[in-house]
Amino acid sequence: MAAYRAVFGHVDVEPGTCFGSRNEVRANGLHKANQDGISWGLDSANKRAADAIVLSNGYEDDRDSWNEVIYTGAGGRDVNTGRQVEDQTWENPANASLRRSRERGYNVRVIRGGGDENTYSPVSGYRYDGLYRVLSDWTERGESGFQICCFKLQRLHDKDQGLTHLEQQLDDLIDGAPPRRSATVDRIVRDTKVIRRVKEMYANTCQICNLALTVGPDGKSYAEGAHIQALGRQGKGPDVDENVLCLCPNCHVKLDRGALYLTDSLNVVDRYPDGSRPRITKLATAEHHQIRNRFVRAHRRFWGVVNGDG
């Protein structure tokens, strides 16, 4: 069998794309294995190097904060329990390959798996979350008492992800252009894979006011994807389903300005309705759309809402 040639970067799959199984992940060229966490192959110098990892099943020593990941290497785990039962070493080809990617500055694709309590994991299946750079590696004693190989990875900024031309323009407007002037609307409307998927869940109908805004003679409706915890420098929120709502333009503006906020029980509080005290309604949610309280609380903190978790 011919040696696997590692591909360092995107493989014609947009970040935010979801898959039902590891077989689908592999078939789309994101990761070469159906079970291993680290995908590795030969680089241009015919040396082993890693091009992708899977974050799944909540390994005890892993730490995931979206933009930064502490990832545990391969080897020494019980196949049935996933617990560490032996020391890990750098002789393991997977660990050595991820270390070489750090040494050579290769970008690594990160795929997150569902079915655990990680805030940034999909509810089910697998999701491609873009490119990360391996910043450092070291060994330490893990929670089970054995030596483990550890890696620190940092997500590339969206401008460096090789996104679509439209995405690049939007990111440039946010982070690279002169400061925006005050205007009637001071925001960027994004259209990522994640946002398109969430809007499809609700057939472009606002989750707050139930408006399906008709925009043409063909009856097509329009809605916007709204991040609960803002993206980029302002809020450092992730572009994942659990942080996105499908809203009409009016509700989107009000959420972005803090006039609307969500409680932990996903009630919507309108802080400034016309001529009355705050109004509370229930947020509409689709069966497979799980909204994380972490993002809801971050939005409230940003807008100075206290005792808003009722």
Side-chain angles (χ1 to χ4, degrees), residues 61 71-77 84 86-92 95 138-140 146-151:
D61 294 294
Y71 185 73
T72 308
R77 291 194 182 102
Q84 204 70 32
E86 294 178 350
D87 291 341
Q88 293 181 349
T89 70
W90 295 113
E91 281 68 42
N92 184 295
N95 296 336
W138 68 95
T139 57
E140 66 178 43
F146 297 94
Q147 288 293 317
I148 56 174
C149 298
C150 300
F151 302 88

Side-chain angles (χ1 to χ4, degrees), residues 8-302:
F8 306 106
H10 296 303
V11 289
D12 200 28
V13 176
E14 187 177 352
T17 301
C18 291
F19 303 93
S21 68
R22 284 290 295 269
N23 279 331
E24 292 181 30
V25 171
R26 181 181 181 185
N28 281 272
L30 287 165
H31 195 288
K32 75 167 188 177
N34 284 336
Q35 292 184 335
D36 298 341
I38 300 174
S39 171
W40 57 270
L42 300 181
D43 63 10
S44 59
N46 288 326
K47 301 290 187 180
R48 292 170 176 167
D51 58 4
I53 65 170
V54 171
L55 277 167
S56 187
N57 299 324
Y59 290 129
E60 57 190 2
D61 294 294
D62 287 351
R63 301 291 181 266
D64 184 2
S65 58
W66 181 254
N67 285 318
E68 182 179 292
V69 171
I70 304 300
Y71 185 73
T72 308
R77 291 194 182 102
D78 184 284
V79 295
N80 295 315
T81 66
R83 301 283 294 181
Q84 204 70 32
V85 294
E86 294 178 350
D87 291 341
Q88 293 181 349
T89 70
W90 295 113
E91 281 68 42
N92 184 295
N95 296 336
S97 69
L98 195 51
R99 173 177 257 188
R100 178 168 173 81
S101 291
R102 189 267 302 168
E103 295 170 345
R104 303 296 294 176
Y106 296 142
N107 294 329
V108 175
R109 295 180 296 278
V110 170
I111 300 102
R112 285 179 173 83
D116 59 41
E117 296 302 316
N118 180 4
T119 300
Y120 301 104
S121 296
V123 175
S124 61
Y126 296 85
R127 186 185 63 232
Y128 174 44
D129 284 334
L131 300 178
Y132 284 66
R133 181 68 56 87
V134 186
L135 297 182
S136 58
D137 56 68
W138 68 95
T139 57
E140 66 178 43
R141 192 168 299 279
E143 292 187 12
S144 295
F146 297 94
Q147 288 293 317
I148 56 174
C149 298
C150 300
F151 302 88
K152 180 179 179 180
L153 296 92
Q154 185 177 65
R155 192 175 192 273
L156 271 62
H157 190 279
D158 282 351
K159 289 197 297 182
D160 302 318
Q161 288 283 347
L163 303 178
T164 64
H165 182 62
L166 174 61
E167 284 289 295
Q168 183 71 61
Q169 288 182 322
L170 294 178
D171 282 314
D172 287 343
L173 284 171
I174 292 174
D175 294 326
R180 289 175 289 178
R181 300 175 181 174
S182 296
T184 304
V185 177
D186 183 21
R187 63 199 172 93
I188 295 296
V189 179
R190 294 173 175 264
D191 187 31
T192 66
K193 183 81 171 182
V194 170
I195 285 174
R196 292 194 294 272
R197 181 166 57 247
V198 171
K199 291 196 294 184
E200 288 173 1
M201 293 181 189
Y202 297 94
N204 285 329
T205 300
C206 181
Q207 290 178 248
I208 292 178
C209 70
N210 200 38
L211 173 67
L213 184 64
T214 302
V215 293
D218 55 1
K220 287 185 178 181
S221 56
Y222 173 80
E224 297 175 356
H227 290 90
I228 304 168
Q229 181 180 358
L231 299 186
R233 296 176 185 175
Q234 182 183 34
K236 299 182 179 179
D239 187 27
V240 296
D241 294 20
E242 296 83 2
N243 188 35
V244 172
L245 299 176
C246 175
L247 300 182
C248 70
N250 285 347
C251 289
H252 189 178
V253 172
K254 294 178 76 172
L255 181 79
D256 282 356
R257 295 299 183 89
L260 294 174
Y261 69 83
L262 301 178
T263 69
D264 284 1
S265 56
L266 299 186
N267 287 321
V268 182
V269 179
D270 188 340
R271 303 169 76 179
Y272 312 112
D274 295 336
S276 63
R277 60 184 182 181
R279 180 171 62 244
I280 300 176
T281 56
K282 188 67 177 178
L283 183 75
T285 54
E287 180 181 359
H288 299 294
H289 187 203
Q290 180 177 337
I291 296 167
R292 304 278 189 181
N293 278 334
R294 174 174 184 151
F295 308 132
V296 168
R297 292 166 185 165
H299 179 263
R300 292 203 303 264
R301 285 196 303 270
F302 185 85

